[in-house]
Amino acid sequence: MQNRTPRIPEQPTPNPVDADTGLTVELASVVTGARRRALRDGDRQIDTAHLLHSLIESDPEVREAFDGGPQLAKVLGYLVQRSIGYGLRWQGSVEDSGAVPVVRDPAADVVRSPAADVVRDPAAEGWSPSAATAMEDALHRAGLRGESRARGLDLLAALAADGECRAVEVLGRAGVDARWLSGRAVERTAEVSR
């Protein structure tokens, strides 16, 4: 009897993150992890849940922003279940919470979002509009502090602030108040930046 493991179709591995994008090395590593997770799960795009999962796994500052180990374990439980049941309805669909409108530039025939510096064309580059917007928001948050590079806590605050994204859906199912988490991430960023 042959083992018939389902084959994930070969997909390009987009890499919109480089040294000039304004991400710390740690946050660039988070993006790389989210890309690998999306490809492994057979998803066409990196979405906000991929980013949240990679953030929690990679960044100790992000883990500390949660209200203890049990809360964090519950969130990770939902994220791990994504590929085996929970979240399967997301496959094949584009995540767009509508938090920031994505505008089509007819002259360039490219989708332009506020994350244009990080992701030139979210659909073509393998990013959901919501994930691209969260990355741009993280960069904006760092800029407001006078810093040139975004941190994991900036991205966590941005993800948790978008009430309609997949990351917030996961947080809600795990019993985490996303608004509280966003505020806590902002507070922790201020503490770390001192």
Side-chain angles (χ1 to χ4, degrees):
M1 176 180 233
Q2 273 186 319
N3 182 2
R4 297 197 183 239
T5 305
R7 182 168 135 61
I8 298 173
E10 194 67 32
Q11 297 179 6
T13 55
N15 190 3
V17 179
D18 59 32
D20 298 327
T21 61
L23 306 179
T24 61
V25 170
E26 295 81 9
L27 192 52
S29 176
V30 166
V31 170
T32 299
R35 181 180 317 102
R36 275 194 311 265
R37 185 169 304 286
L39 289 172
R40 187 191 69 223
D41 291 348
D43 295 330
R44 295 179 316 155
Q45 298 179 329
I46 297 170
D47 67 21
T48 59
H50 293 123
L51 289 172
L52 178 63
H53 199 162
S54 190
L55 264 176
I56 291 171
E57 287 183 335
S58 302
D59 193 326
E61 292 175 351
V62 166
R63 290 191 297 273
E64 290 173 9
F66 284 83
D67 191 19
Q71 185 184 61
L72 190 57
K74 197 168 182 183
V75 171
L76 276 172
Y78 276 102
L79 289 166
V80 168
Q81 291 178 36
R82 174 187 184 130
S83 62
I84 59 171
Y86 174 76
L88 283 180
R89 70 186 186 292
W90 293 338
Q91 283 186 332
S93 66
V94 174
E95 176 192 32
D96 184 9
S97 67
V100 176
V102 175
V103 181
R104 181 163 287 283
D105 178 355
D109 194 33
V110 170
V111 175
R112 298 291 296 177
S113 80
D117 292 336
V118 175
V119 181
R120 303 286 183 254
D121 178 351
E125 294 294 334
W127 289 76
S128 75
S130 295
T133 298
M135 293 301 294
E136 177 63 22
D137 188 17
L139 292 167
H140 178 74
R141 289 168 186 272
L144 290 175
R145 286 191 315 276
E147 295 181 14
S148 61
R149 300 211 179 269
R151 308 170 64 91
L153 287 169
D154 293 315
L155 182 55
L156 179 64
L159 291 170
D162 181 355
E164 299 297 319
C165 73
R166 291 175 181 172
V168 168
E169 182 180 337
V170 169
L171 292 170
R173 287 189 180 262
V176 177
D177 181 337
R179 283 184 286 172
W180 171 85
L181 183 61
S182 182
R184 178 134 160 123
V186 170
E187 289 171 10
R188 306 269 311 168
T189 303
E191 291 170 10
V192 172
S193 296
R194 286 186 205 152

